[in-house]
Amino acid sequence: MTAGNNGAGTPEDDDPFAHLYRSEGGENGAQGAAGNGSAARRPGVPRASYNQVRAVGERQYGQRQVPAQQPYGQQNAHYAAPETLPGGDNARQGPPPGHGHGGAPRRNHKGLLIGAVAVVAVVCIGIGVAMLTNKNGDKKDEAGADPTPTAGESVKPSEKPSGKPSQGPLPKEAAASLSLSPEASTDKSVPGAKAADGAYVSLNKVGASATWSVDVPKSGDYTLLIDYGVPGKDAKTTLGVNGGKSDKINMSNFAHASEGAWDKGWTTTFRWITLNKGTNTIKISCEQGDQCEVNLDRVFLKAGHVKR
């Protein structure tokens, strides 16, 4: 080959690394080459000065050393995974406290259950107090609702109890089966008597009496009830218990029968008495000063103070 058919230069002049020389120094590089005594580039004459080949990463740019590339597989000093740093092990742990699956906050079910039990307990206590208060109030009303009759007479019978209920069946007797005085007599001419066979005792004379000998299971207060009949007007007799002081028995016309209507005058009266355990005597009589037009039907006892 000759310069005539290959251009102005030879293969040595066709330097493929010429751009590196220019980038490293540009015009200064060319001047540096001229300063070293090298002549200007001439065709056909190879360069007398070249930059030395350096390892990748060791070339200097502007007086700054570029660090060499780290070997493959070795950790780079300028990079570290978060888990390799101090405290990094906790950086990627599970969800924060107080959260369950899906990040939703946990509910304190135990606290809710305790609250519900407390509410139920308060409601139950309130109901119990109300029931006890109401019960005590009823007892007070019953205790103060029954006036005691006067010593001399009974009052109109009532069905409402005013004391302890009966502990069991107590004696009941037909007046015709009682112990009668000679002045007393039995009769059946007036209809409506409740005793067996419709028999009753007439107390129409002073000295007429009927005495009941009765046994009770224990000492205490009892109520004596008397079924009787009057001819449409009031009557009054005498009561004696165990030979003690006598009291009066009110035998008014509670049936509101017209005068002379014996069959319409059947009714009931009562007296509160105190008996001893065992046998007691109860005497109903017509004494001086009594109004004795009365027929005795039946006598019976109830425990405590009650009204029929």
Side-chain angles (χ1 to χ4, degrees):
M1 297 183 194
T2 62
N5 55 16
N6 287 310
T10 63
E12 291 84 354
D13 295 330
D14 190 8
D15 189 350
F17 296 101
H19 65 284
L20 294 178
Y21 310 144
R22 289 192 298 270
S23 62
E24 180 178 356
E27 294 179 357
N28 293 331
Q31 292 175 2
N36 290 330
S38 301
R41 180 179 177 187
R42 292 175 297 174
V45 179
R47 292 178 58 91
S49 176
Y50 294 92
N51 284 337
Q52 298 296 324
V53 178
R54 296 180 177 86
V56 177
E58 293 181 350
R59 183 179 299 277
Q60 296 181 358
Y61 297 93
Q63 301 300 323
R64 183 173 63 87
Q65 183 72 25
V66 178
Q69 184 177 358
Q70 295 289 339
Y72 179 77
Q74 182 176 351
Q75 183 177 351
N76 192 325
H78 296 279
Y79 170 81
E83 58 270 17
T84 62
L85 300 177
D89 291 340
N90 298 326
R92 299 183 62 182
Q93 293 181 355
H99 290 73
H101 297 290
R106 292 183 179 176
R107 296 182 179 177
N108 192 349
H109 296 287
K110 184 176 181 181
L112 295 177
L113 179 59
I114 293 174
V117 172
V119 171
V120 173
V122 171
V123 172
C124 292
I125 292 173
I127 293 174
V129 172
M131 292 178 65
L132 291 176
T133 304
N134 188 36
K135 185 176 180 181
N136 293 335
D138 292 342
K139 289 183 179 179
K140 291 181 180 178
D141 292 342
E142 291 181 1
D146 302 320
T148 303
T150 61
E153 60 182 11
S154 301
V155 296
K156 185 177 179 179
S158 171
E159 298 292 339
K160 183 178 179 180
S162 61
K164 294 180 179 180
S166 175
Q167 301 296 324
L170 290 173
K172 180 183 295 186
E173 196 71 39
S177 65
L178 303 181
S179 178
L180 304 179
S181 69
E183 295 78 10
S185 61
T186 60
D187 198 350
K188 297 181 182 179
S189 60
V190 178
K194 296 179 180 179
D197 299 330
Y200 54 87
V201 175
S202 295
L203 299 178
N204 297 323
K205 297 178 183 180
V206 174
S209 65
T211 302
W212 185 19
S213 181
V214 60
D215 292 336
V216 295
K218 62 180 181 179
S219 300
D221 295 331
Y222 292 84
T223 300
L224 171 66
L225 293 110
I226 305 170
D227 291 337
Y228 69 97
V230 292
K233 59 182 180 180
D234 296 339
K236 181 171 61 176
T237 58
T238 300
L239 173 67
V241 178
N242 293 328
K245 182 181 178 180
S246 299
D247 292 321
K248 297 301 179 180
I249 305 174
N250 182 8
M251 292 186 172
S252 297
N253 182 24
F254 296 128
H256 304 290
S258 58
E259 188 172 352
W262 283 90
D263 61 329
K264 304 296 183 183
W266 296 106
T267 186
T268 303
T269 190
F270 71 95
R271 283 304 307 267
W272 294 340
I273 59 177
T274 300
L275 300 177
N276 302 319
K277 180 180 180 181
T279 303
N280 297 265
T281 59
I282 300 173
K283 181 180 179 181
I284 303 171
S285 62
C286 179
E287 305 294 339
Q288 289 290 342
D290 291 343
Q291 300 170 355
C292 299
E293 288 187 273
V294 61
N295 293 330
L296 295 181
D297 184 5
R298 297 182 307 174
V299 291
F300 51 101
L301 294 174
K302 287 188 177 181
H305 289 174
V306 299
K307 294 180 180 180
R308 182 173 177 177

